């Protein structure tokens, strides 16, 4: 109640509470929506993304609409930085296919019409390099490809754009913004 009051005092309609966990527990806690952090080591596949979202949405149906499952698209779980073993990350073709499924199937079948639910997708995640799930532009990982897919599926922006990358000097500076032993 306090958070709702504070949000309204700033001119918002209220708060939207999102978590992960079992949807039955989230419903008991008054949580509005479920979103996944990622879908694990097989999260790089179209099948895992569709299957996990669908499975949890079915569980949420048992809460009589108390919890909405925000569709989560994960690029995989390549936690090489921590565990020294590589796992694949999603291809651009599968990434596009996942977002086509979200907009063409998941949202029409699960979201309440004319609500925030029709406008929400959870992207896992921007830069969790240690955790192994990241879509931030990277030279050896599709460049700006993941962002290009998002642009094409969720905006009407012109496809003509310029990707901006750090200058050599900026790149050098970035290399020293973390402990060198963890490099």
């Amino acid at each position: 109640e306090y958070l709702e009051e504070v949000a309204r005092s700033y001119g918002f309609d209220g708060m939207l509470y999102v978590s992960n966990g079992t949807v039955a527990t989230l419903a008991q806690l008054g949580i509005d929506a479920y979103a996944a952090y990622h879908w694990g080591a097989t999260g790089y596949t179209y099948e895992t993304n569709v299957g996990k979202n669908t499975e949890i949405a079915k569980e949420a149906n048992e809460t009589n609409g108390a919890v909405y499952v925000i569709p989560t698209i994960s690029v995989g779980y390549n936690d090489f930085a921590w565990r020294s073993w590589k796992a694949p990350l999603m291809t651009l073709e599968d990434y596009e296919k996942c977002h086509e499924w979200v907009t063409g199937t998941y949202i029409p079948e699960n979201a309440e019409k004319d609500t925030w639910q029709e406008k929400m997708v959870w992207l896992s995640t921007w830069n969790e390099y240690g955790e192994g799930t990241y879509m931030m532009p990277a030279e050896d990982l599709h460049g700006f490809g993941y962002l290009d897919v998002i642009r094409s599926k969720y905006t009407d922006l012109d496809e003509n754009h310029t990707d901006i990358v750090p200058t050599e000097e900026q790149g050098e500076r970035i290399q020293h913004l973390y402990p060198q032993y963890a490099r």
Side-chain angles (χ1 to χ4, degrees):
E1 290 174 10
Y2 170 74
L3 292 174
E4 295 290 329
E5 182 181 317
V6 170
R8 285 191 292 278
S9 75
Y10 282 102
F12 295 100
D13 295 334
M15 301 269 299
L16 178 65
Y17 301 92
V18 180
S19 187
N20 58 21
T22 61
V23 290
T25 300
L26 299 182
Q28 291 174 345
L29 295 172
I31 303 295
D32 299 300
Y34 170 96
Y37 180 60
H38 61 74
W39 298 123
T42 62
Y44 70 93
T45 68
Y46 168 81
E47 293 78 15
T48 294
N49 278 267
V50 170
K52 292 290 190 178
N53 280 294
T54 302
E55 173 188 323
I56 295 170
K58 285 180 185 174
E59 291 175 28
N61 286 338
E62 296 173 9
T63 69
N64 298 318
V67 177
Y68 173 69
V69 176
I70 299 171
T72 301
I73 301 301
S74 170
V75 297
Y77 189 73
N78 179 17
D79 62 344
F80 178 75
W82 290 353
R83 292 184 181 80
S84 299
W85 59 272
K86 288 189 176 190
L89 291 176
M90 188 175 283
T91 66
L92 287 179
E93 294 78 21
D94 273 0
Y95 198 65
E96 184 167 6
K97 198 170 154 185
C98 283
H99 288 285
E100 287 171 356
W101 174 79
V102 166
T103 58
T105 302
Y106 186 88
I107 289 174
E109 290 179 2
N110 293 284
E112 290 181 23
K113 300 289 182 231
D114 301 317
T115 69
W116 62 268
Q117 295 175 1
E118 291 181 309
K119 300 173 185 173
M120 179 83 73
V121 62
W122 206 263
L123 304 172
S124 174
T125 62
W126 180 249
N127 64 347
E128 283 285 4
Y129 296 109
E131 287 283 335
T133 178
Y134 40 88
M135 52 182 254
M136 186 174 175
E139 190 174 306
D140 295 328
L141 179 65
H142 312 308
F144 285 78
Y146 290 144
L147 297 183
D148 290 337
V149 168
I150 293 166
R151 170 192 285 269
S152 73
K153 298 300 170 201
Y154 300 102
T155 76
D156 57 4
L157 296 175
D158 186 342
E159 287 298 318
N160 297 322
H161 66 280
T162 301
D163 295 329
I164 299 174
V165 298
T167 65
E168 188 173 326
E169 183 181 325
Q170 290 167 330
E172 188 62 33
R173 181 176 170 266
I174 290 169
Q175 297 298 317
H176 299 286
L177 294 178
Y178 53 86
Q180 291 301 297
Y181 67 83
R183 184 167 185 196

